[in-house]
Amino acid sequence: MSSDPDTPITPTWGPLRSFGRIKSRTLKPRQAALFDTLLPTISVPDPANGPIDPLALMPDAKAVWLEIGFGGGEHLAAQAARHPDALMIGCEPFLNGVGSALRHIEDGALKNVRIHADDARDVMKALPDASLDRVMILFPDPWHKARHNKRRLIQPPFVDLLCRKLAQGGYIHCATDWEDYAVQMLEVLGAEPALRNTAEGYAEKPAYRPLTKFENRGLKLGHGVWDLVFTKK
Ligand SMILES: C[S@@+](CC[C@H](N)C(=O)[O-])C[C@H]1O[C@@H](n2cnc3c(N)ncnc32)[C@H](O)[C@@H]1O
């Protein structure tokens, strides 16, 4: 893994605009307690303080995976349990989601999860180039009103950053239940010369991906689901 000393740590984009809220309800007592006990022991160092070495987070990690916007952490915890040799970095600014994830991590006695309770893009910038083996972005905020489309995460500058941080042969897995966002993802990821689509267009839902909360919500609303799996050439 190489470090890029020229990578600015300060984000070059605007502040995080989350579709949901950063906190929607009072944390349950157990989750609130986990913020004080578990979170400090598994937090990713503040990216504002300089580069982050994933091997310092888990010296024996065989792979480094990143989930952006893990929501309640169900998928993050499931992948961590299935792949105990892989370091799972999860980023999520929604504090109730972080509380839920902490509960899953404690319940599963998971030792390979590290959390950044904030914007994933800051962590990505602080990670070495070519250090990520898999990046998962499942049901990102849809920003479905046309005037809000520009707030979507999957845009060329973000994909450029993603490609820099992805190792050769690494994977990016996105899914959405908004068709026009799926079209945008396919267009933006497909236009990136460093990436190769593993499917003709959209991918089959990979068997390893459990149903997520937002996917379930979309399905109940009668939405379709589109998965995209690209690999770095
Ligand atoms: C629609 S929810 C989906 C949650 C989960 N992946 C699921 O499928 O249930 C999208 C999540 O992405 C988070 N998010 C948005 N922008 C983010 C960013 N820049 N870094 C990390 N998380 C982000 C939001 O807080 C929100 O919880």
Side-chain angles (χ1 to χ4, degrees):
M1 285 178 245
S2 69
S3 187
D4 175 6
D6 296 329
T7 303
I9 300 302
T10 316
T12 51
W13 37 65
L16 173 77
R17 309 219 34 181
S18 181
F19 188 70
R21 283 170 290 178
I22 296 300
K23 191 173 171 198
S24 67
R25 54 182 188 276
T26 309
L27 288 165
K28 291 179 185 145
R30 178 179 167 205
Q31 294 185 14
L34 288 172
F35 267 85
D36 294 332
T37 53
L38 181 57
L39 186 59
T41 68
I42 62 166
S43 277
V44 171
D46 186 345
N49 290 339
I52 296 170
D53 175 6
L55 290 183
L57 301 180
M58 181 173 159
D60 55 348
K62 299 277 186 291
V64 183
W65 294 22
L66 172 71
E67 181 167 359
I68 299 177
F70 57 67
E74 300 86 358
H75 173 265
L76 182 72
Q79 295 292 7
R82 216 169 287 166
H83 301 279
D85 290 346
L87 166 64
M88 300 282 165
I89 301 175
C91 301
E92 174 56 68
F94 178 53
L95 296 184
N96 298 93
V98 174
S100 161
L102 291 173
R103 192 170 45 79
H104 289 299
I105 293 165
E106 187 181 61
D107 286 347
L110 302 171
K111 302 289 175 223
N112 54 334
V113 183
R114 300 294 178 272
I115 299 285
H116 178 63
D118 211 326
D119 194 330
R121 297 169 299 183
D122 299 339
V123 168
M124 289 171 74
K125 287 199 146 204
L127 284 168
D129 286 353
S131 60
L132 296 172
D133 297 288
R134 188 172 297 232
V135 177
M136 298 155 295
I137 309 171
L138 304 177
F139 305 91
D141 294 328
W143 296 112
H144 56 275
K145 290 184 184 156
R147 69 176 189 282
H148 291 155
N149 282 180
K150 57 183 180 297
R151 295 180 187 170
R152 287 176 169 173
L153 189 61
I154 312 295
Q155 313 242 20
F158 171 75
V159 171
D160 184 55
L161 173 67
L162 191 58
C163 284
R164 263 200 291 139
K165 301 301 163 177
L166 211 54
Q168 193 181 8
Y171 286 93
I172 154 137
H173 180 185
C174 301
T176 181
D177 59 323
W178 289 86
E179 187 168 13
D180 71 314
Y181 200 0
V183 170
Q184 178 176 338
M185 288 176 176
L186 193 59
E187 220 171 81
V188 175
L189 295 171
E192 173 50 61
L195 296 178
R196 180 177 65 76
N197 194 346
T198 63
E200 299 268 330
Y202 301 108
E204 291 282 313
K205 175 181 168 172
Y208 60 77
R209 181 169 77 67
L211 190 77
T212 77
K213 190 172 162 194
F214 273 81
E215 175 178 18
N216 199 26
R217 191 162 93 167
L219 290 172
K220 283 186 182 152
L221 291 170
H223 294 183
V225 171
W226 293 267
D227 281 84
L228 299 95
V229 183
F230 280 70
T231 184
K232 185 163 166 191
K233 291 177 190 164

